Amino acid sequence: MTLLQRIKDLVRSRSIHVSYVDVGSCNGCDIEILACLAPRYDIEQYGIYVHNNPREADVLLVVGAFTLGWEEKLKMVWDKIPEPKAAIAIGNCPISGGVFDRRGSYVDPPVSKHIPIAAEVPGCPPRPTEILSAILSIRDTVFAGWEVKQR
Ligand code: SF4
């Protein structure tokens, strides 16, 4: 691997831009994500920045049980994120449907049926520290080795 490729991987894995989408939550998980931005957890000290624009994102956080109205929209958001990219399911809802999972209802969990999920953070809701840990855990597996995978 060349020096330039090493530098690219290092920069990618140490400057992660996050976008998030709510596909049908109670807003409990959204509040925990917002807590990550506040001074107590201060997500930016880890080189993680939050954007609303998926075209500028590396990581997509997905919250909520997957409601049928998101069938095409979530795929569109996912397709707009440039490679390399990863999605993380936040909370029990996108993992299993959580409290919203009712047979024959308007939800269609898990979200991994609709887009590839690199990591899952269970909890109702999960703690901000667990959300931060999940983002940090994928940076080496998804982003640090990207240049090698392209060879
Ligand atoms: S996992 Fe719990 S807190 Fe999070 S969206 Fe679902 S019901 Fe709400």
Side-chain angles (χ1 to χ4, degrees):
M1 188 160 66
T2 65
L3 180 61
L4 181 60
Q5 287 171 321
R6 279 172 202 259
I7 292 171
K8 279 183 176 178
D9 276 348
L10 182 68
V11 171
R12 278 198 186 106
S13 62
R14 294 297 180 267
S15 174
I16 293 179
H17 292 232
V18 170
S19 192
Y20 101 102
V21 64
D22 180 344
V23 294
S25 82
C26 75
N27 292 131
C29 288
D30 303 58
I31 290 166
E32 300 305 318
I33 292 172
L34 287 177
C36 294
L37 308 176
R40 181 164 183 182
Y41 298 102
D42 188 19
I43 198 170
E44 291 191 1
Q45 71 181 302
Y46 302 102
I48 304 168
Y49 305 92
V50 178
H51 286 279
N52 281 333
N53 187 353
R55 288 193 175 94
E56 296 177 25
D58 305 302
V59 173
L60 182 67
L61 304 182
V62 185
V63 300
F66 188 90
T67 48
L68 296 177
W70 278 92
E71 196 91 53
E72 290 173 17
K73 290 182 208 157
L74 182 62
K75 185 81 171 62
M76 279 170 55
V77 171
W78 177 245
D79 288 344
K80 283 180 184 170
I81 301 175
E83 296 282 358
K85 60 186 173 182
I88 303 177
I90 305 292
N92 290 347
C93 285
I95 297 170
S96 67
V99 295
F100 297 108
D101 188 20
R102 298 286 179 273
R103 202 167 285 180
S105 75
Y106 52 89
V107 295
D108 187 24
V111 80
S112 57
K113 281 197 319 199
H114 306 278
I115 59 169
I117 295 293
E120 295 177 336
V121 189
C124 186
R127 295 168 191 269
T129 48
E130 294 168 331
I131 297 169
L132 272 167
S133 295
I135 299 170
L136 294 173
S137 73
I138 62 163
R139 67 181 187 182
D140 287 336
T141 53
V142 177
F143 300 105
W146 176 254
E147 290 293 329
V148 176
K149 288 178 200 156
Q150 297 312 296
R151 296 164 96 193

